[in-house]
Amino acid sequence: MPYQCIDKRRNLLIAARDSSIDLINLENGSYLSTWTCPWPEKPQISKPEIEQPSKLLATQESQSSSVDIVIDSKSPPAKRRKLSSGEADKDLIKEVEPETQGTSTAKVTKNGNEKNQKKQKQNNRSVAIAIGLEAPAIIALAVTVNNKHVVAVTGEDKCIRVFEIVDEADVSKLHQVSERIMPKRPSSIAITPDSATILSADKFGDVYSLPLIPSLDQDAQSATPIAERPFKPSANEKTIHSQRNRIALENQKRHHNSAPKNQLPTFEHTLLLGHVSLLIDLKLATLEGKTYIITSDRDEHIRISRGIPQAHVIESFCLGHREFVSRLCIPTTRPGILVSGGGDDEIYVWKWKNAELLCKADLKTHVNEIVSESAKEKKIAVSGIYHTNHEGVDFVLVTVEAIPGIFVFKLIDTTLTHVQNIFLRGNALGVVTTPSRVITSIDTIHTPASTIELRSSDKPDSSFVTFKFTNGVLEEDSDFKIAGVKDSEIVDADSVENKRMKNLLYSIENLRKRVGEIDGGEAEDG
Amino acid sequence: MFSLEAEPCPPHLNLHNQDLSRDEFAAMPGPANKKQKREQYKNARQGGSTTELPKKKFYRQRAHANVFSDHDLVYPISPAYMDWATYYPAYAEPEVADSIESTTSQTQDISLKAVETQDGSDGNGATSSEAIPMKAKDMRKLKQDVEVADIGCGFGGLLVALAPKLPNTLMLGMEIRTQVTEYVHERINALRLQNSKEGLYQNAACLRANSMKFLPNFFKKDQLSKIFLCFPDPHFKARKHKARIVSTTLNSEYAYAVRPGGIVYTITDVEDLHLWMVEHFEKHPSFARVSEEEQEADECVEVMRMETEEGQKVTRNNGQKFVALFRRLEDPPW
Ligand SMILES: C[S@@+](CC[C@H](N)C(=O)[O-])C[C@H]1O[C@@H](n2cnc3c(N)ncnc32)[C@H](O)[C@@H]1O
């Protein structure tokens, strides 16, 4: 399996493939250990979270416009789950505990409008995907500044997991120390410079902060000072005088009995800020001793908010993108600069504090230099922006979803200039940089530039490719090899595994607004 | 009519035309001849250059629009790209601005020269709500900024009553429903023509927008002195709370647009919604509730109570109206 996200900590490469995290020694490329996410029903997950799915069922039924998935109750627990991270904003499916359900099929409600049919289609597919799946996949990784902890997000269960990096007999391992199920699926996480707080941006548009290490006594009650309380419908016919409101109240009453109470997590978490849009990336910045939270969304916005405890103050918006903004990068050497990219043909460079656009650098032209003629018309979606400094020169490395290459730019003063295209044997997935090297994980199961077509399996490829600077240019470092991990293979392009893999590895382009599509499936139905 | 679908998005605007037809049909259930009647009626209005006030019945629209959906919305990429002069022609500078200062010279491809007219209108302010002016080439600056926003303005009662009361202040109604926006637009045009001698109503305008998503596309930081939230949709259901126009997180966006000292006005007939709004503004560090004394001394409060369409309905039904005003505080140092 290819590694969908990678990060590093000093000499440690932390690499997530499907629902496992491998640790690899970055000095010699040797394999160290693997943590594998347990199946959701195992006792690692505490009671409140287990209760959640059945409550969600109630929510769904009350809406009469959505579809519930009930997988055959005879199938083993581990095989029940909902669609993986990939389906981004189309995440309309809620998991259902079979114990609470007698039925065993996906049921579709009467209301057969266009939207429901769309949902039904997605859900039918997810039923297929749901069968035969295992543990939830890792969709985001972060390492604390003090290098002691790794934080990972597993998608299907919306879980933030914190690991301690422990060394046992000279071998680094991940020990999970906590898991917290978030109200909505996190899409991006960051950790404050003091290594004390996790910030999580979710698909509902909200950013929460939670302590890296949950304190025990606070766990009992929700310490969410600004969480929204349930709204009791104490309005009645006498207090309502407009047709609009009367209709709203009638709807409310109709759904009254099945409406669940707010399922707030029981651990400490604080709502810091929110967009009415799906959040894709979140970065923390520090400028002149002050911290800032930078968030990007599906509606072309980049928002600059103050850091904790003044995250309610919006400093500015960097507006200029015409499509979703999927990746943000603040060069460590240039903390006032923000490089952003998404569904546009260009990469943008900002002086983020006062929202000043400094330059735009064309990316599409360079992507077209490495793709076949037929793919030149395709839209691009930026999947990664990374910074590295080599001999005093700032380099910005850009990857594009389902494109087998890295696009290298130099950041000089306020201008981003293209210097090099790196060709890869597989689509670029993740990148980490060390002072001497650039390591990229590639898609080893699909053919380059494809998200579906499988490679012939008789020629196994290494999941990582390493580059080093030679005369200011990145060249493959074939001396440096990273140990491969033997893994299961996908043999059928039409298989549910392959579709799931596609959703896990290639989910960004799905965020593009399309004709006739409803945004915020979660926002609406969550 | 101009088609949003056929044309490419002009560089200064973001046009996300997501299924215009669906929205329009949803707006007009019933027999097709109803649609025809509407069209005939609207054509007869000579593109808005009539002094006759529009009739509401030709502009009704299903009550609730989904604020999370990708409507066929048109919005400027940023406030600098907003062509306000088409909305407030009487306040426009005579000269055409030839550059937008907030972008630098390096960003050539957003230079205004390349922008073509998209809607074929003459840009005299009589364009319909979807036709947020796209002639950035001819973009004239305003002598002053818009300072008052009526969010979810409905049929425009507040704007029309407030415009003569604050004659030197530019006010904008933002409304998500296309038909309703068009009605307000026609209404203001007719009033402008009726009162052309006195020059009244030149300071009011209305456009279609989803304010919950795109407020910062229209307004710069600290631009507004007043925001009105009159009789917002209550969204009783708990799971719909994010659809409410007042929430902790949205209040940060209002705080961004409103300058310190500015006021957010709220009114509703639903007591729980009132309590909700009070709670969420009061616990937001950027706002403090305005005292009742000061509230009752504010002339806008009476307008809000008596002149909004919803306010009038509540009066007819002898209902209660709950008012709360909140002052934007200075941000603490950072
Ligand atoms: C109950 S009406 C009140 C109209 C008017 N303020 C009055 O008092 O007569 C609420 C209005 O808000 C509009 N609206 C709801 N959400 C909106 C949004 N996100 N952006 C703009 N308008 C919105 C609705 O379409 C509706 O016309």
Side-chain angles (χ1 to χ4, degrees), chain A residues 242 244-245, chain B residues 63-65 67 150-158 174-177 180 209-213 229-235 243 245 267 304 307-311:
Chain A
S242 72
R244 291 174 69 79
N245 291 356
Chain B
H64 291 275
V67 293
D150 181 7
I151 291 179
C153 69
F155 289 92
L158 182 94
M174 301 179 106
E175 172 52 55
I176 200 166
R177 290 184 293 166
V180 178
N210 181 349
S211 67
M212 291 169 67
K213 276 176 178 274
L229 303 168
C230 300
F231 299 96
D233 296 327
H235 296 291
I245 212 107
I267 184 168
M304 196 161 71
E307 305 289 345
T308 53
E309 276 74 10
E310 290 298 317

mmCIF file of all heavy atoms in Angstrom, chain A residues 242 244-245, chain B residues 63-65 67 150-158 174-177 180 209-213 229-235 243 245 267 304 307-311, ligand 1:
data_model
loop_
_atom_site.group_PDB
_atom_site.id
_atom_site.type_symbol
_atom_site.label_atom_id
_atom_site.label_comp_id
_atom_site.label_asym_id
_atom_site.label_seq_id
_atom_site.Cartn_x
_atom_site.Cartn_y
_atom_site.Cartn_z
ATOM 1 N N SER A 242 -45.405 34.879 11.731
ATOM 2 C CA SER A 242 -45.183 34.914 10.293
ATOM 3 C C SER A 242 -45.307 33.512 9.727
ATOM 4 O O SER A 242 -45.057 32.522 10.410
ATOM 5 C CB SER A 242 -43.806 35.476 9.969
ATOM 6 O OG SER A 242 -42.831 34.530 10.317
ATOM 7 N N ARG A 244 -43.456 32.162 7.508
ATOM 8 C CA ARG A 244 -42.139 31.516 7.452
ATOM 9 C C ARG A 244 -41.847 30.790 8.748
ATOM 10 O O ARG A 244 -41.471 29.635 8.765
ATOM 11 C CB ARG A 244 -41.041 32.559 7.237
ATOM 12 C CG ARG A 244 -41.032 33.199 5.894
ATOM 13 C CD ARG A 244 -39.997 34.316 5.875
ATOM 14 N NE ARG A 244 -38.624 33.798 5.946
ATOM 15 C CZ ARG A 244 -37.981 33.306 4.920
ATOM 16 N NH1 ARG A 244 -38.549 33.217 3.742
ATOM 17 N NH2 ARG A 244 -36.740 32.880 5.043
ATOM 18 N N ASN A 245 -42.022 31.514 9.841
ATOM 19 C CA ASN A 245 -41.659 30.933 11.117
ATOM 20 C C ASN A 245 -42.602 29.821 11.513
ATOM 21 O O ASN A 245 -42.217 28.860 12.168
ATOM 22 C CB ASN A 245 -41.639 32.012 12.193
ATOM 23 C CG ASN A 245 -40.488 32.965 11.978
ATOM 24 O OD1 ASN A 245 -39.691 32.757 11.072
ATOM 25 N ND2 ASN A 245 -40.409 33.986 12.783
ATOM 26 N N ALA B 63 -39.746 29.701 0.717
ATOM 27 C CA ALA B 63 -39.250 30.425 1.891
ATOM 28 C C ALA B 63 -37.781 30.162 2.203
ATOM 29 O O ALA B 63 -37.036 31.077 2.505
ATOM 30 C CB ALA B 63 -40.106 30.094 3.096
ATOM 31 N N HIS B 64 -37.356 28.931 2.132
ATOM 32 C CA HIS B 64 -36.021 28.673 2.642
ATOM 33 C C HIS B 64 -35.036 28.274 1.550
ATOM 34 O O HIS B 64 -35.258 27.324 0.831
ATOM 35 C CB HIS B 64 -36.057 27.616 3.737
ATOM 36 C CG HIS B 64 -36.722 28.128 4.966
ATOM 37 N ND1 HIS B 64 -36.047 28.844 5.924
ATOM 38 C CD2 HIS B 64 -38.011 28.087 5.353
ATOM 39 C CE1 HIS B 64 -36.904 29.208 6.863
ATOM 40 N NE2 HIS B 64 -38.092 28.759 6.552
ATOM 41 N N ALA B 65 -33.980 29.012 1.488
ATOM 42 C CA ALA B 65 -32.900 28.668 0.579
ATOM 43 C C ALA B 65 -31.825 27.994 1.409
ATOM 44 O O ALA B 65 -31.600 28.358 2.560
ATOM 45 C CB ALA B 65 -32.355 29.927 -0.070
ATOM 46 N N VAL B 67 -28.482 27.614 2.758
ATOM 47 C CA VAL B 67 -27.328 28.518 2.830
ATOM 48 C C VAL B 67 -26.002 27.792 2.653
ATOM 49 O O VAL B 67 -24.956 28.413 2.539
ATOM 50 C CB VAL B 67 -27.300 29.286 4.169
ATOM 51 C CG1 VAL B 67 -28.470 30.230 4.254
ATOM 52 C CG2 VAL B 67 -27.290 28.346 5.359
ATOM 53 N N ASP B 150 -28.057 45.440 5.497
ATOM 54 C CA ASP B 150 -29.258 44.769 6.006
ATOM 55 C C ASP B 150 -29.177 43.330 5.516
ATOM 56 O O ASP B 150 -29.384 43.048 4.338
ATOM 57 C CB ASP B 150 -30.514 45.479 5.472
ATOM 58 C CG ASP B 150 -31.795 44.837 6.000
ATOM 59 O OD1 ASP B 150 -31.704 43.940 6.870
ATOM 60 O OD2 ASP B 150 -32.885 45.228 5.534
ATOM 61 N N ILE B 151 -28.836 42.446 6.427
ATOM 62 C CA ILE B 151 -28.557 41.062 6.050
ATOM 63 C C ILE B 151 -29.841 40.252 6.078
ATOM 64 O O ILE B 151 -30.531 40.220 7.091
ATOM 65 C CB ILE B 151 -27.463 40.481 6.972
ATOM 66 C CG1 ILE B 151 -26.140 41.177 6.637
ATOM 67 C CG2 ILE B 151 -27.365 38.971 6.824
ATOM 68 C CD1 ILE B 151 -24.971 40.741 7.466
ATOM 69 N N GLY B 152 -30.153 39.618 4.956
ATOM 70 C CA GLY B 152 -31.443 38.933 4.815
ATOM 71 C C GLY B 152 -32.541 39.968 4.748
ATOM 72 O O GLY B 152 -33.505 39.946 5.504
ATOM 73 N N CYS B 153 -32.399 40.909 3.813
ATOM 74 C CA CYS B 153 -33.260 42.099 3.811
ATOM 75 C C CYS B 153 -34.679 41.801 3.372
ATOM 76 O O CYS B 153 -35.564 42.653 3.506
ATOM 77 C CB CYS B 153 -32.660 43.186 2.928
ATOM 78 S SG CYS B 153 -32.691 42.782 1.167
ATOM 79 N N GLY B 154 -34.945 40.613 2.858
ATOM 80 C CA GLY B 154 -36.300 40.293 2.433
ATOM 81 C C GLY B 154 -36.773 41.275 1.378
ATOM 82 O O GLY B 154 -36.029 41.602 0.446
ATOM 83 N N PHE B 155 -38.001 41.767 1.536
ATOM 84 C CA PHE B 155 -38.589 42.629 0.510
ATOM 85 C C PHE B 155 -38.176 44.095 0.627
ATOM 86 O O PHE B 155 -38.691 44.945 -0.102
ATOM 87 C CB PHE B 155 -40.106 42.465 0.507
ATOM 88 C CG PHE B 155 -40.532 41.127 -0.028
ATOM 89 C CD1 PHE B 155 -40.737 40.048 0.821
ATOM 90 C CD2 PHE B 155 -40.674 40.928 -1.400
ATOM 91 C CE1 PHE B 155 -41.101 38.798 0.322
ATOM 92 C CE2 PHE B 155 -41.041 39.683 -1.909
ATOM 93 C CZ PHE B 155 -41.259 38.617 -1.055
ATOM 94 N N GLY B 156 -37.282 44.398 1.535
ATOM 95 C CA GLY B 156 -36.621 45.705 1.510
ATOM 96 C C GLY B 156 -37.268 46.821 2.306
ATOM 97 O O GLY B 156 -36.875 47.976 2.179
ATOM 98 N N GLY B 157 -38.256 46.487 3.138
ATOM 99 C CA GLY B 157 -38.954 47.516 3.914
ATOM 100 C C GLY B 157 -38.018 48.394 4.732
ATOM 101 O O GLY B 157 -38.179 49.620 4.780
ATOM 102 N N LEU B 158 -37.048 47.775 5.367
ATOM 103 C CA LEU B 158 -36.130 48.544 6.206
ATOM 104 C C LEU B 158 -35.318 49.529 5.379
ATOM 105 O O LEU B 158 -35.208 50.713 5.704
ATOM 106 C CB LEU B 158 -35.196 47.601 6.967
ATOM 107 C CG LEU B 158 -34.225 48.317 7.907
ATOM 108 C CD1 LEU B 158 -34.780 48.383 9.316
ATOM 109 C CD2 LEU B 158 -32.855 47.663 7.915
ATOM 110 N N MET B 174 -28.740 42.634 1.561
ATOM 111 C CA MET B 174 -28.201 41.382 1.034
ATOM 112 C C MET B 174 -29.271 40.324 1.226
ATOM 113 O O MET B 174 -29.793 40.156 2.331
ATOM 114 C CB MET B 174 -26.933 40.989 1.776
ATOM 115 C CG MET B 174 -25.856 42.044 1.687
ATOM 116 S SD MET B 174 -24.405 41.550 2.610
ATOM 117 C CE MET B 174 -23.326 41.126 1.271
ATOM 118 N N GLU B 175 -29.577 39.631 0.152
ATOM 119 C CA GLU B 175 -30.683 38.679 0.207
ATOM 120 C C GLU B 175 -30.317 37.477 -0.658
ATOM 121 O O GLU B 175 -29.827 37.627 -1.766
ATOM 122 C CB GLU B 175 -31.963 39.382 -0.285
ATOM 123 C CG GLU B 175 -33.182 38.511 -0.474
ATOM 124 C CD GLU B 175 -33.547 37.648 0.731
ATOM 125 O OE1 GLU B 175 -33.720 38.185 1.832
ATOM 126 O OE2 GLU B 175 -33.641 36.415 0.549
ATOM 127 N N ILE B 176 -30.585 36.298 -0.142
ATOM 128 C CA ILE B 176 -30.148 35.100 -0.850
ATOM 129 C C ILE B 176 -31.156 34.664 -1.913
ATOM 130 O O ILE B 176 -30.803 33.977 -2.863
ATOM 131 C CB ILE B 176 -29.871 33.957 0.163
ATOM 132 C CG1 ILE B 176 -28.974 32.886 -0.452
ATOM 133 C CG2 ILE B 176 -31.162 33.343 0.691
ATOM 134 C CD1 ILE B 176 -28.385 31.930 0.553
ATOM 135 N N ARG B 177 -32.416 35.059 -1.775
ATOM 136 C CA ARG B 177 -33.423 34.603 -2.742
ATOM 137 C C ARG B 177 -33.465 35.536 -3.951
ATOM 138 O O ARG B 177 -33.715 36.735 -3.815
ATOM 139 C CB ARG B 177 -34.786 34.512 -2.058
ATOM 140 C CG ARG B 177 -34.835 33.372 -1.050
ATOM 141 C CD ARG B 177 -36.195 33.224 -0.439
ATOM 142 N NE ARG B 177 -36.564 34.356 0.401
ATOM 143 C CZ ARG B 177 -37.799 34.585 0.839
ATOM 144 N NH1 ARG B 177 -38.777 33.791 0.473
ATOM 145 N NH2 ARG B 177 -38.054 35.613 1.618
ATOM 146 N N VAL B 180 -36.690 37.640 -4.674
ATOM 147 C CA VAL B 180 -36.896 38.668 -3.661
ATOM 148 C C VAL B 180 -35.906 39.818 -3.875
ATOM 149 O O VAL B 180 -36.260 40.995 -3.795
ATOM 150 C CB VAL B 180 -36.760 38.038 -2.253
ATOM 151 C CG1 VAL B 180 -36.923 39.088 -1.173
ATOM 152 C CG2 VAL B 180 -37.788 36.921 -2.068
ATOM 153 N N ALA B 209 -26.840 37.732 -2.337
ATOM 154 C CA ALA B 209 -25.614 37.197 -1.750
ATOM 155 C C ALA B 209 -25.971 36.235 -0.642
ATOM 156 O O ALA B 209 -27.013 36.357 -0.013
ATOM 157 C CB ALA B 209 -24.760 38.330 -1.185
ATOM 158 N N ASN B 210 -25.102 35.292 -0.424
ATOM 159 C CA ASN B 210 -25.185 34.472 0.774
ATOM 160 C C ASN B 210 -24.242 35.100 1.782
ATOM 161 O O ASN B 210 -23.034 34.892 1.748
ATOM 162 C CB ASN B 210 -24.770 33.038 0.459
ATOM 163 C CG ASN B 210 -24.869 32.145 1.680
ATOM 164 O OD1 ASN B 210 -25.044 32.622 2.802
ATOM 165 N ND2 ASN B 210 -24.743 30.852 1.466
ATOM 166 N N SER B 211 -24.809 35.883 2.668
ATOM 167 C CA SER B 211 -23.974 36.653 3.590
ATOM 168 C C SER B 211 -23.207 35.751 4.547
ATOM 169 O O SER B 211 -22.183 36.150 5.081
ATOM 170 C CB SER B 211 -24.855 37.597 4.402
ATOM 171 O OG SER B 211 -25.693 36.828 5.244
ATOM 172 N N MET B 212 -23.696 34.549 4.756
ATOM 173 C CA MET B 212 -23.009 33.678 5.703
ATOM 174 C C MET B 212 -21.694 33.162 5.154
ATOM 175 O O MET B 212 -20.820 32.738 5.899
ATOM 176 C CB MET B 212 -23.914 32.507 6.081
ATOM 177 C CG MET B 212 -25.093 32.970 6.912
ATOM 178 S SD MET B 212 -26.329 31.699 7.097
ATOM 179 C CE MET B 212 -25.446 30.519 8.095
ATOM 180 N N LYS B 213 -21.573 33.168 3.853
ATOM 181 C CA LYS B 213 -20.336 32.699 3.258
ATOM 182 C C LYS B 213 -19.472 33.839 2.725
ATOM 183 O O LYS B 213 -18.245 33.762 2.768
ATOM 184 C CB LYS B 213 -20.643 31.755 2.088
ATOM 185 C CG LYS B 213 -20.908 30.316 2.483
ATOM 186 C CD LYS B 213 -21.301 29.530 1.247
ATOM 187 C CE LYS B 213 -21.542 28.072 1.514
ATOM 188 N NZ LYS B 213 -20.310 27.269 1.449
ATOM 189 N N LEU B 229 -29.979 42.702 11.411
ATOM 190 C CA LEU B 229 -30.409 41.306 11.287
ATOM 191 C C LEU B 229 -31.866 41.281 11.735
ATOM 192 O O LEU B 229 -32.159 41.136 12.919
ATOM 193 C CB LEU B 229 -29.558 40.402 12.182
ATOM 194 C CG LEU B 229 -28.038 40.424 11.958
ATOM 195 C CD1 LEU B 229 -27.310 39.710 13.090
ATOM 196 C CD2 LEU B 229 -27.692 39.784 10.621
ATOM 197 N N CYS B 230 -32.764 41.500 10.776
ATOM 198 C CA CYS B 230 -34.167 41.665 11.143
ATOM 199 C C CYS B 230 -34.961 40.399 10.858
ATOM 200 O O CYS B 230 -34.981 39.922 9.721
ATOM 201 C CB CYS B 230 -34.778 42.832 10.372
ATOM 202 S SG CYS B 230 -33.954 44.383 10.715
ATOM 203 N N PHE B 231 -35.594 39.907 11.860
ATOM 204 C CA PHE B 231 -36.448 38.716 11.763
ATOM 205 C C PHE B 231 -35.757 37.599 10.975
ATOM 206 O O PHE B 231 -36.289 37.092 9.993
ATOM 207 C CB PHE B 231 -37.806 39.074 11.140
ATOM 208 C CG PHE B 231 -38.553 40.090 11.960
ATOM 209 C CD1 PHE B 231 -38.479 41.437 11.640
ATOM 210 C CD2 PHE B 231 -39.283 39.700 13.071
ATOM 211 C CE1 PHE B 231 -39.137 42.390 12.418
ATOM 212 C CE2 PHE B 231 -39.939 40.648 13.852
ATOM 213 C CZ PHE B 231 -39.873 41.998 13.519
ATOM 214 N N PRO B 232 -34.582 37.206 11.437
ATOM 215 C CA PRO B 232 -33.900 36.111 10.719
ATOM 216 C C PRO B 232 -34.678 34.805 10.853
ATOM 217 O O PRO B 232 -35.485 34.644 11.774
ATOM 218 C CB PRO B 232 -32.540 36.006 11.417
ATOM 219 C CG PRO B 232 -32.631 36.800 12.661
ATOM 220 C CD PRO B 232 -33.795 37.704 12.568
ATOM 221 N N ASP B 233 -34.425 33.915 9.920
ATOM 222 C CA ASP B 233 -35.074 32.603 9.967
ATOM 223 C C ASP B 233 -34.659 31.895 11.255
ATOM 224 O O ASP B 233 -33.477 31.837 11.574
ATOM 225 C CB ASP B 233 -34.645 31.770 8.749
ATOM 226 C CG ASP B 233 -35.115 32.416 7.458
ATOM 227 O OD1 ASP B 233 -36.194 33.033 7.477
ATOM 228 O OD2 ASP B 233 -34.399 32.322 6.444
ATOM 229 N N PRO B 234 -35.631 31.325 11.955
ATOM 230 C CA PRO B 234 -35.272 30.773 13.266
ATOM 231 C C PRO B 234 -34.518 29.451 13.247
ATOM 232 O O PRO B 234 -33.754 29.176 14.149
ATOM 233 C CB PRO B 234 -36.631 30.613 13.961
ATOM 234 C CG PRO B 234 -37.653 30.629 12.881
ATOM 235 C CD PRO B 234 -37.084 31.358 11.722
ATOM 236 N N HIS B 235 -34.704 28.628 12.232
ATOM 237 C CA HIS B 235 -34.034 27.313 12.208
ATOM 238 C C HIS B 235 -34.127 26.624 13.552
ATOM 239 O O HIS B 235 -33.141 26.468 14.265
ATOM 240 C CB HIS B 235 -32.573 27.446 11.772
ATOM 241 C CG HIS B 235 -32.434 27.932 10.382
ATOM 242 N ND1 HIS B 235 -32.782 27.181 9.300
ATOM 243 C CD2 HIS B 235 -32.005 29.119 9.900
ATOM 244 C CE1 HIS B 235 -32.569 27.878 8.194
ATOM 245 N NE2 HIS B 235 -32.113 29.059 8.535
ATOM 246 N N ALA B 243 -27.023 26.885 10.412
ATOM 247 C CA ALA B 243 -27.698 27.665 9.382
ATOM 248 C C ALA B 243 -28.174 29.009 9.924
ATOM 249 O O ALA B 243 -28.612 29.855 9.168
ATOM 250 C CB ALA B 243 -28.887 26.887 8.828
ATOM 251 N N ILE B 245 -28.167 32.728 11.276
ATOM 252 C CA ILE B 245 -27.404 33.881 10.859
ATOM 253 C C ILE B 245 -26.588 34.451 12.025
ATOM 254 O O ILE B 245 -25.682 35.243 11.847
ATOM 255 C CB ILE B 245 -28.380 34.907 10.222
ATOM 256 C CG1 ILE B 245 -27.724 35.697 9.127
ATOM 257 C CG2 ILE B 245 -29.054 35.764 11.241
ATOM 258 C CD1 ILE B 245 -28.186 35.291 7.756
ATOM 259 N N ILE B 267 -33.672 41.968 15.675
ATOM 260 C CA ILE B 267 -35.080 41.953 16.085
ATOM 261 C C ILE B 267 -35.691 40.636 15.635
ATOM 262 O O ILE B 267 -35.339 40.114 14.560
ATOM 263 C CB ILE B 267 -35.859 43.161 15.509
ATOM 264 C CG1 ILE B 267 -37.312 43.180 16.028
ATOM 265 C CG2 ILE B 267 -35.852 43.162 13.980
ATOM 266 C CD1 ILE B 267 -38.042 44.484 15.744
ATOM 267 N N MET B 304 -36.943 49.526 12.387
ATOM 268 C CA MET B 304 -36.826 48.072 12.385
ATOM 269 C C MET B 304 -38.134 47.433 12.860
ATOM 270 O O MET B 304 -38.602 46.437 12.315
ATOM 271 C CB MET B 304 -35.678 47.737 13.343
ATOM 272 C CG MET B 304 -35.117 46.398 13.272
ATOM 273 S SD MET B 304 -33.492 46.353 14.040
ATOM 274 C CE MET B 304 -33.870 46.512 15.764
ATOM 275 N N GLU B 307 -41.206 49.099 10.075
ATOM 276 C CA GLU B 307 -41.130 49.209 8.620
ATOM 277 C C GLU B 307 -40.696 47.920 7.913
ATOM 278 O O GLU B 307 -40.855 47.795 6.706
ATOM 279 C CB GLU B 307 -40.184 50.346 8.207
ATOM 280 C CG GLU B 307 -40.527 51.697 8.826
ATOM 281 C CD GLU B 307 -41.797 52.308 8.241
ATOM 282 O OE1 GLU B 307 -42.261 51.836 7.180
ATOM 283 O OE2 GLU B 307 -42.324 53.243 8.869
ATOM 284 N N THR B 308 -40.132 46.987 8.629
ATOM 285 C CA THR B 308 -39.792 45.728 7.962
ATOM 286 C C THR B 308 -41.088 44.984 7.662
ATOM 287 O O THR B 308 -42.059 45.099 8.405
ATOM 288 C CB THR B 308 -38.917 44.836 8.874
ATOM 289 O OG1 THR B 308 -39.580 44.679 10.126
ATOM 290 C CG2 THR B 308 -37.552 45.444 9.112
ATOM 291 N N GLU B 309 -41.087 44.221 6.593
ATOM 292 C CA GLU B 309 -42.282 43.473 6.230
ATOM 293 C C GLU B 309 -42.656 42.500 7.339
ATOM 294 O O GLU B 309 -43.826 42.341 7.686
ATOM 295 C CB GLU B 309 -42.066 42.702 4.918
ATOM 296 C CG GLU B 309 -42.313 43.509 3.656
ATOM 297 C CD GLU B 309 -41.214 44.514 3.348
ATOM 298 O OE1 GLU B 309 -40.156 44.466 4.002
ATOM 299 O OE2 GLU B 309 -41.422 45.358 2.450
ATOM 300 N N GLU B 310 -41.656 41.849 7.887
ATOM 301 C CA GLU B 310 -41.934 40.891 8.956
ATOM 302 C C GLU B 310 -42.462 41.610 10.185
ATOM 303 O O GLU B 310 -43.387 41.152 10.850
ATOM 304 C CB GLU B 310 -40.669 40.100 9.303
ATOM 305 C CG GLU B 310 -40.238 39.119 8.234
ATOM 306 C CD GLU B 310 -41.262 38.036 7.951
ATOM 307 O OE1 GLU B 310 -41.837 37.482 8.902
ATOM 308 O OE2 GLU B 310 -41.496 37.752 6.759
ATOM 309 N N GLY B 311 -41.887 42.756 10.483
ATOM 310 C CA GLY B 311 -42.328 43.544 11.631
ATOM 311 C C GLY B 311 -43.801 43.925 11.493
ATOM 312 O O GLY B 311 -44.568 43.871 12.463
HETATM 313 C C1 LIG C 1 -37.783 36.127 7.668
HETATM 314 S S1 LIG C 1 -36.974 36.962 6.380
HETATM 315 C C2 LIG C 1 -36.828 38.608 7.031
HETATM 316 C C3 LIG C 1 -36.833 39.648 5.952
HETATM 317 C C4 LIG C 1 -36.647 41.087 6.394
HETATM 318 N N1 LIG C 1 -35.408 41.282 7.123
HETATM 319 C C5 LIG C 1 -37.829 41.574 7.205
HETATM 320 O O1 LIG C 1 -37.644 41.768 8.405
HETATM 321 O O2 LIG C 1 -38.888 41.762 6.668
HETATM 322 C C6 LIG C 1 -35.312 36.372 6.391
HETATM 323 C C7 LIG C 1 -34.626 36.592 5.082
HETATM 324 O O3 LIG C 1 -33.252 36.249 5.163
HETATM 325 C C8 LIG C 1 -32.864 35.676 3.945
HETATM 326 N N2 LIG C 1 -31.631 34.902 4.174
HETATM 327 C C9 LIG C 1 -31.526 33.755 4.901
HETATM 328 N N3 LIG C 1 -30.235 33.344 4.908
HETATM 329 C C10 LIG C 1 -29.531 34.248 4.192
HETATM 330 C C11 LIG C 1 -28.154 34.357 3.839
HETATM 331 N N4 LIG C 1 -27.278 33.442 4.232
HETATM 332 N N5 LIG C 1 -27.758 35.408 3.100
HETATM 333 C C12 LIG C 1 -28.659 36.338 2.698
HETATM 334 N N6 LIG C 1 -29.963 36.273 2.991
HETATM 335 C C13 LIG C 1 -30.406 35.242 3.739
HETATM 336 C C14 LIG C 1 -34.059 34.862 3.536
HETATM 337 O O4 LIG C 1 -34.068 34.566 2.158
HETATM 338 C C15 LIG C 1 -35.198 35.767 3.962
HETATM 339 O O5 LIG C 1 -35.621 36.614 2.940
#
